[in-house]
Amino acid sequence: MRKVLVLGGTGLVGRRLTETLLRGGFAVRCSVRNPERARQVLPAACEIVQGDIGDLRSMQAATRSVEAVYNTVHTLSAQKSGSPNGSFVDAELAGLEHIVAACRENGVRRMVYLTFLGIAPDGPTEWARGRWKAEQLLLHSGLDATVLRPAQIVGKGGFGFDSMMAQARRRVTPVLGSGKGRHRNIALDDLVHYMVRVLDEPRAFGKAFDVGCDDVLTTDEMIDTAARVLGKAPPRKVHVPLGLLRRVAPLIERAAKLPRGAFRDLAVGMDLDMVGDPRPLREIIPHEPLRYAQAIERALQGDESRPPR
């Protein structure tokens, strides 16, 4: 039985990926910081080990005897950065260096890395620039790596999706920024479908791909679409200027116990275009993702699983 390692297995994507891999006949190991919590949310068939991307030794142990690694870690939660003043971006880059080093030591060549749309060396946010560095590190690591870049992942438990559904349920709702930033979204199971299918696809080795459905909507249009799916009238929107958000971001980050710079980048990102081009991956893995409204309906039904098309 082929064994794979999932990092970030207790998160939205990691949980669904683990379940799908197990159904597909894989043996799955999940490296988590809190094994007790993981046992409450992960399938019993999953092997659970304690680990942290900020700890090289734990990554060395986690990658032993596995064939491939899926990295779905989301660093909005606190991570070890290796520096007392390190940001969440520093933590992610240092963690990825540990994972790559551990893979090399244990002869693991295959890695699938989940990042997000809009990353660039000259991106307007620390996150966009930092994740570009992480992507480049991985693609030039000598591993057979594939990077997948979604924007909002449509599934219950996703921070962006749950926040947007809360906005859609209100009669009047605050919106960070102008509401005009354009986004391409993807249903949770469509993303997981690509992640599983890409594992044994050599044409994807050493490459990064944008993923998403055919709908490109502004933030305001996404909220209105969600409201209509709920059977509600679109809410009246009160747009919060980005200048104000930048000033109060440090206070919000401390109150919410978010890593330094995380909320600021989230706020700025709402006004950016995160569209990308999903066609290159679809040429390799033919698949028609759900449209945005359909993805919302499926997520609200609590049954996002469906057979691949």
Side-chain angles (χ1 to χ4, degrees):
M1 184 179 292
R2 302 171 65 190
K3 179 177 287 189
V4 298
L5 171 67
V6 176
L7 300 171
T10 57
L12 172 70
V13 177
R15 290 197 308 271
R16 184 54 58 87
L17 174 63
T18 296
E19 294 165 358
T20 304
L21 288 168
L22 287 169
R23 288 199 303 268
F26 287 87
V28 181
R29 174 186 295 160
C30 287
S31 176
V32 300
R33 289 183 294 171
N34 187 335
E36 183 177 346
R37 174 178 177 269
R39 291 188 183 95
Q40 296 173 0
V41 299
L42 290 172
C46 174
E47 177 190 356
I48 297 173
V49 298
Q50 188 166 26
D52 190 304
I53 64 171
D55 179 6
L56 175 58
R57 288 187 179 180
S58 71
M59 290 299 96
Q60 290 169 333
T63 53
R64 290 191 187 110
S65 73
V66 301
E67 180 179 316
V69 174
Y70 283 99
N71 184 2
T72 71
V73 173
H74 197 279
T75 51
L76 283 183
S77 56
Q79 306 286 341
K80 296 178 182 177
S81 68
S83 167
N85 297 315
S87 70
F88 64 107
V89 172
D90 299 321
E92 184 157 301
L93 189 59
L96 187 58
E97 290 174 342
H98 291 159
I99 298 163
V100 169
C103 284
R104 287 172 174 162
E105 178 176 307
N106 290 312
V108 182
R109 292 202 52 81
R110 187 73 176 110
M111 186 187 300
V112 179
Y113 176 49
L114 190 64
T115 179
F116 70 99
L117 278 174
I119 63 174
D122 57 351
T125 67
E126 185 182 5
W127 203 349
R129 297 187 297 273
R131 280 217 161 178
W132 182 84
K133 291 179 182 178
E135 180 178 295
Q136 295 305 303
L137 182 155
L138 184 57
L139 293 178
H140 293 89
S141 66
L143 303 182
D144 295 328
T146 300
V147 178
L148 298 182
R149 304 176 183 140
Q152 186 192 94
I153 300 168
V154 184
K156 284 183 178 179
F159 176 79
F161 176 71
D162 287 353
S163 298
M164 188 154 289
M165 295 308 298
Q167 290 175 302
R169 289 185 171 94
R170 301 188 182 109
R171 294 179 62 184
V172 180
T173 188
V175 177
L176 304 182
S178 69
K180 295 179 181 179
R182 298 163 64 243
H183 307 272
R184 189 189 298 275
N185 306 281
I186 188 165
L188 173 58
D189 270 349
D190 285 323
L191 175 59
V192 169
H193 174 76
Y194 282 125
M195 295 177 75
V196 174
R197 286 284 306 278
V198 83
L199 182 65
D200 294 322
E201 179 49 76
R203 290 174 294 175
F205 292 4
K207 296 180 181 178
F209 297 96
D210 302 330
V211 293
C213 71
D214 291 331
D215 291 333
V216 176
L217 304 173
T218 66
T219 300
D220 283 354
E221 288 170 339
M222 289 162 59
I223 294 171
D224 291 349
T225 299
R228 285 191 287 269
V229 172
L230 292 169
K232 295 179 174 292
R236 184 166 67 86
K237 301 167 191 68
V238 179
H239 294 98
V240 183
L242 288 181
L244 174 61
L245 290 170
R246 289 190 182 98
R247 288 194 292 272
V248 302
L251 298 176
I252 295 175
E253 287 163 1
R254 285 197 292 272
K257 297 182 179 179
L258 291 171
R260 178 176 60 83
F263 180 78
R264 179 198 60 218
D265 275 14
L266 279 174
V268 172
M270 295 303 295
D271 258 8
L272 301 177
D273 286 346
M274 293 190 180
V275 176
D277 182 1
R279 291 174 296 181
L281 183 59
R282 293 189 195 179
E283 291 174 1
I284 297 174
I285 302 174
H287 181 68
E288 182 184 352
L290 292 173
R291 304 296 289 265
Y292 187 53
Q294 294 173 316
I296 294 173
E297 290 172 352
R298 192 172 296 274
L300 295 178
Q301 290 168 0
D303 179 19
E304 295 155 358
S305 296
R306 63 193 180 103
R309 298 180 183 178

